[in-house]
Amino acid sequence: MSGAVPFAGHARGSAGYRRMILALFAAGVATFSQLYSVQGVLPALSRAAGVSEARAALAVSAATLGLAVSVIGWSVVADRVGRLRAMQVAVVAAVVLGLLVPASPGFGALLGLRFLEGVALGGIPAIALAYLSEEIHAMHSAIAAGTYISGTTLGGLAGRLIAGPISELVSWRVGVLVVSLLAAVAAVAFIALAPRPLGFTPVPRRTPGEPGLARKLWVNLANVRLLALYSQGLLLMGGFVAVYNFLGFRLEAPPFLVPASLTSLVFIAYLSGTWSSRQAGVLVNRIGRLPALLGSIATMAVGVCVTLVPHLAVVLAGLVLFTAGFFSAHAIASGWVPLIGRTGRAQSASLYNLAYYTGSSLFGWAVGLAFAPYGWGGAVLFVLLLQGLAAVLAALFLRASGARPVGTVAPHGR
């Protein structure tokens, strides 16, 4: 017999599939619990540091900016040393830096450490979906990607929900420290569970006929469908982070007057994202990627409009709807990218993450400029404009391949 059967990916239900899913779930928890723990303590941080709401939000934006600028570099490292090894280095570095953040001597030092922490954290989302697409059978990639995204939602929820109440009882520093310790436990679980890569072939520094980094980036940036997907990350994530950045400030003010120790409980709405990101793969399999994406954006828009009602229960219901729509859209768009960007798959995923976290850094802060003078109505209008633009770009440029089911890989290029 000549040669072995090429590895087609771990099938759903196999031991390798289960270990991969559990490992990436843990990686999502380790990454996003640290990335957004500060978001749960923004009102306390604002008071302790004596800075405005928009300036306090820079503590979140600094980390997401660091993540955004690092994802391309991490994709190159992953091409050389392997997806798993690069992710292991990233998660260890992030945990070490996360443990240093609570000891920052001032607001400027805090921003610097958060930026470096974001650079380290960039190694997980920059690589995770490429790693998954190489190790999981293509028929199950959408559901697997949704499971990874659900881990990111639980990580984000845990970081905010733990840090917030502790910041009120003790201090924001202790709250962030406890979350970093939780992330360390999740990082150990990731390293222990992740199966040995079987679908990855190292990319030498120079290979005849192999496109270089610049060529891989250009091929992805020249693909209009990929640009449309990157815009989803940029615009939808920007609006999503902004809502969570400033909702705590709104709830502490009239007419709600919610105690600071309870405002972090709004992050329980993240559980709807844990569910919806998992269900996104099922939805795509039934109606196609584009209809599922547009439906998710519409759900976001309805949800954020509901938060305008000046009644706490209604605001929370709207937030649940908004969050479910966002994570469904994110799971669909991020899982779609590796199927289109086959040349430089790690770079195509990294460009999505670059756009995604640039949106978080930019709009997560910029919406505060509308919130300060115009209140929650100004913030909601800003977010609706971002969602509307995302929907228009998706409808215009993703229609050609939007109705394909999960098991069908769209052709590369236009």
Side-chain angles (χ1 to χ4, degrees):
M1 298 185 66
S2 59
V5 177
F7 177 65
H10 297 293
R12 189 178 183 187
S14 67
Y17 180 92
R18 287 192 294 270
R19 288 187 63 187
M20 171 72 73
I21 293 302
L22 289 173
L24 287 179
F25 187 90
V29 171
T31 302
F32 289 88
S33 62
Q34 291 189 92
L35 187 63
Y36 290 115
S37 61
V38 173
Q39 193 178 50
V41 302
L42 283 181
L45 176 60
S46 175
R47 291 190 295 269
V51 297
S52 67
E53 296 97 327
R55 185 163 169 76
L58 290 175
V60 179
S61 293
T64 54
L65 179 62
L67 194 155
V69 301
S70 71
V71 289
I72 301 298
W74 278 115
S75 73
V76 175
V77 172
D79 278 347
R80 301 287 184 264
V81 306
R83 317 294 190 210
L84 179 57
R85 185 177 299 177
M87 291 173 70
Q88 289 170 338
V89 170
V91 77
V92 170
V95 166
V96 171
L97 287 163
L99 292 171
L100 293 176
V101 166
S104 55
F107 191 71
L110 169 67
L111 295 182
L113 281 170
R114 287 284 292 168
F115 176 81
L116 293 176
E117 185 182 15
V119 169
L121 288 170
I124 304 300
I127 304 167
L129 290 172
Y131 175 47
L132 184 152
S133 68
E134 291 171 349
E135 305 298 327
I136 297 293
H137 195 284
M139 288 294 294
H140 311 301
S141 62
I143 293 176
T147 303
Y148 161 67
I149 298 300
S150 72
T152 71
T153 66
L154 279 183
L157 170 63
R160 297 161 166 102
L161 202 56
I162 292 171
I166 293 177
S167 72
E168 181 68 14
L169 294 173
V170 188
S171 73
W172 71 266
R173 296 177 187 273
V174 176
V176 172
L177 175 62
V178 171
V179 172
S180 295
L181 293 173
L182 168 69
V185 173
V188 170
F190 164 69
I191 293 171
L193 288 170
R196 180 174 62 88
L198 297 174
F200 171 72
T201 301
V203 179
R205 188 176 299 275
R206 291 184 179 275
T207 302
E210 175 70 23
L213 175 62
R215 175 61 180 167
K216 290 177 181 178
L217 292 173
W218 172 249
V219 168
N220 286 294
L221 290 172
N223 188 319
V224 68
R225 287 191 291 157
L226 284 175
L227 289 177
L229 288 172
Y230 299 155
S231 73
Q232 304 305 300
L234 176 78
L235 300 168
L236 298 180
M237 177 59 165
F240 177 75
V241 169
V243 165
Y244 275 93
N245 274 354
F246 300 106
L247 185 60
F249 292 102
R250 183 196 183 204
L251 294 181
E252 287 188 13
F256 303 103
L257 299 175
V258 176
S261 58
L262 298 180
T263 55
S264 62
L265 294 179
V266 301
F267 295 115
I268 292 176
Y270 256 61
L271 291 175
S272 67
T274 304
W275 172 83
S276 69
S277 58
R278 175 70 174 167
Q279 293 301 309
V282 177
L283 183 63
V284 165
N285 208 19
R286 289 178 180 171
I287 66 175
R289 296 183 188 274
L290 180 58
L293 177 60
L294 293 176
S296 299
I297 296 173
T299 301
M300 288 183 70
V302 171
V304 76
C305 287
V306 170
T307 66
L308 288 167
V309 178
H311 189 285
L312 183 59
V314 178
V315 170
L316 295 180
L319 189 64
V320 167
L321 196 61
F322 172 76
T323 303
F326 169 74
F327 278 106
S328 177
H330 172 43
I332 294 164
S334 62
W336 201 345
V337 167
L339 300 181
I340 297 176
R342 296 188 191 178
T343 299
R345 183 170 281 169
Q347 284 71 42
S348 66
S350 293
L351 285 168
Y352 176 85
N353 281 290
L354 173 61
Y356 185 82
Y357 291 105
T358 297
S360 172
S361 302
L362 175 61
F363 296 118
W365 162 77
V367 171
L369 301 180
F371 174 70
Y374 303 113
W376 190 245
V380 167
L381 179 58
F382 199 145
V383 171
L384 286 172
L385 290 173
L386 296 176
Q387 293 167 354
L389 181 56
V392 169
L393 291 172
L396 287 176
F397 299 111
L398 295 173
R399 188 171 300 280
S401 58
R404 294 179 181 273
V406 171
T408 305
V409 178
H412 179 63
R414 292 197 65 174

